[in-house]
């Protein structure tokens, strides 16, 4: 399936899209570590912090009704992306201890984790950040370390190349958009024990040959296959201040295949963490044990 399937306005419906699928490794039998994931893309309006929070809350509630255990929303989902300057971004920013976070946490299921991008204000600093939340805890705030284009004029760089946090279902890796275009980042997170990668993005639409996936999606598929690291990607749809978004929301399994794709509103799928945790390639190989770190 190309990533034009389910694109802008395809269904005419405002409900959360559902492209539920099983990872290829799930089809053959029971999985003791099956994980239901949701990648969501609600409408995001630049500068409309309160409205965006309301729409994010509604999207989380819809995913909760589908019993999602990992829910991922786009990069800078609370604020929008195409800022004219840093002052405008500050006007749509939140601190990590902003009391409004509790309005989102109230709708997170007890056993679920939500990853959502926001503009984080911290004193004089401003970061492009992903909050990692449960109903009653804040697991992490990952600050994007690889800034793309005009982000360098607005945000400060984070000090980590992605993070891995303990989640109710296992180990969760988190990175943001351009981070994933550096192969070292997803590999680093996989080597650190991540079972699945949450990847909030804002992918600007770029030219590509007819029928091909977006290049960023191809890179995500390759990194998933290289490390058996499933990836849950939440992208934007529509346009913002002249920037068209890719509509690349997708869920990629540990083999590097897209198992769910639904642009505009979101995708859900069941991933096999048992399959992701095994790096063996029988009868003679292992993705991690075969690495020749002494050579590179």
């Amino acid at each position: 399936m190309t990533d034009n399937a389910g694109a802008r306005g395809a269904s005419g419906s405002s409900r959360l899209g559902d492209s539920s699928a099983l990872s290829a490794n799930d089809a053959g039998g029971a999985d003791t570590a099956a994980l239901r994931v949701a990648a969501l893309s609600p409408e995001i309006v630049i500068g409309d912090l309160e409205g965006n929070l309301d729409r994010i809350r509604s999207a989380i509630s819809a995913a909760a009704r589908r019993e999602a255990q990992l829910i991922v929303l786009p990069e800078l989902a609370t604020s929008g992306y195409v800022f004219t300057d840093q002052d405008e971004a500050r006007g749509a920013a939140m601190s990590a201890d902003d009391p409004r976070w509790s309005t989102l946490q109230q709708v997170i299921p007890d056993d679920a984790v939500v990853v959502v991008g926001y503009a984080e204000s911290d004193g004089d600093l401003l970061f492009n950040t992903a909050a990692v939340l449960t109903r009653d805890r804040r697991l992490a705030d990952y600050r994007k370390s690889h800034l793309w284009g005009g982000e360098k004029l607005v945000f400060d760089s984070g000090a980590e190349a992605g993070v891995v946090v303990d989640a109710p279902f296992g180990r969760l890796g988190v990175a943001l958009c351009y981070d994933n275009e550096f192969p070292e980042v997803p590999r680093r997170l996989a080597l650190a024990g991540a079972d699945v990668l949450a990847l909030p993005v804002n992918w600007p639409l770029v030219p590509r040959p007819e029928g091909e996936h977006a290049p960023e999606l191809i890179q995500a598929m390759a990194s998933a296959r290289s490390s058996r690291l499933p990836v849950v990607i939440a992208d934007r749809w529509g346009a913002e201040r002249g920037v068209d978004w890719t509509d690349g929301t997708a869920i990629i399994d540990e083999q590097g295949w897209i198992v769910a794709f639904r642009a505009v509103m979101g995708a859900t799928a069941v991933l096999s963490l048992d399959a992701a945790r095994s790096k063996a390639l029988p009868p003679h190989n292992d993705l991690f044990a075969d690495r020749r770190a002494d050579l590179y």
Side-chain angles (χ1 to χ4, degrees):
M1 179 186 294
T2 69
D3 63 357
N4 290 324
R8 301 182 186 91
S11 70
S13 171
S14 61
R15 70 178 178 83
L16 178 69
D18 188 0
S19 295
S20 296
L22 288 177
S23 167
N25 286 318
D26 292 341
D31 186 346
T32 60
L35 178 69
R36 179 167 289 276
V37 302
L40 309 180
S41 187
E43 181 183 14
I44 297 168
V45 178
I46 190 161
D48 184 16
L49 181 55
E50 298 299 334
N52 290 334
L53 287 170
D54 286 343
R55 288 182 285 272
I56 291 167
R57 178 187 171 95
S58 295
I60 293 171
S61 296
R65 290 193 290 272
R66 290 186 169 88
E67 300 181 340
Q69 298 159 275
L70 172 61
I71 301 168
V72 183
L73 293 108
E75 178 182 22
L76 295 174
T78 64
S79 62
Y81 182 92
V82 188
F83 298 109
T84 56
D85 54 33
Q86 190 176 80
D87 287 341
E88 184 183 33
R90 286 191 180 280
M94 302 171 67
S95 64
D97 60 0
D98 191 301
R100 286 172 292 188
W101 288 113
S102 65
T103 67
L104 299 186
Q105 290 178 276
Q106 289 168 5
V107 298
I108 300 175
D110 286 337
D111 62 346
V113 176
V114 167
V115 181
V116 55
Y118 75 108
E120 180 197 359
S121 59
D122 182 10
D124 293 334
L125 301 177
L126 188 66
F127 297 99
N128 181 341
T129 300
V132 186
L133 308 170
T134 68
R135 187 178 184 89
D136 57 5
R137 294 178 57 205
R138 192 175 195 94
L139 300 182
D141 287 274
Y142 167 64
R143 295 167 170 176
K144 187 177 183 180
S145 54
H146 300 90
L147 300 180
W148 170 259
E151 292 175 32
K152 293 187 175 185
L153 306 178
V154 174
F155 296 107
D156 296 283
S157 294
E160 297 180 273
V163 295
V164 178
V165 299
D166 291 320
F169 51 78
R171 298 273 282 165
L172 172 64
V174 181
L176 279 162
C177 201
Y178 188 43
D179 286 331
N180 202 62
E181 297 193 40
F182 296 83
E184 299 90 342
V185 175
R187 174 53 63 90
R188 170 183 177 269
L189 299 178
L191 290 172
D195 297 316
V196 60
L197 173 60
L199 190 65
V201 305
N202 278 202
W203 284 342
L205 187 65
V206 298
R208 59 184 187 265
E210 183 70 25
E212 291 288 350
H213 291 304
E216 300 93 339
L217 188 56
I218 293 171
Q219 287 179 303
M221 294 169 69
S223 66
R225 185 172 180 84
S226 295
S227 295
R228 283 199 179 162
L229 180 64
V231 188
V232 183
I233 301 164
D235 190 18
R236 296 280 299 278
W237 52 271
E240 184 179 281
R241 291 182 172 172
V243 176
D244 291 320
W245 303 118
T246 295
D247 296 343
T249 294
I251 298 168
I252 301 170
D253 73 5
E254 80 291 340
Q255 296 294 332
W257 300 119
I258 299 171
V259 294
F261 187 97
R262 169 65 193 270
V264 181
M265 287 305 293
T268 61
V270 176
L271 297 172
S272 168
L273 297 190
D274 279 348
R277 288 166 181 159
S278 173
K279 311 303 179 183
L281 298 171
H284 302 299
N285 296 97
D286 184 286
L287 278 173
F288 284 4
D290 290 346
R291 294 175 67 247
R292 290 295 307 275
D294 58 317
L295 301 181
Y296 42 77

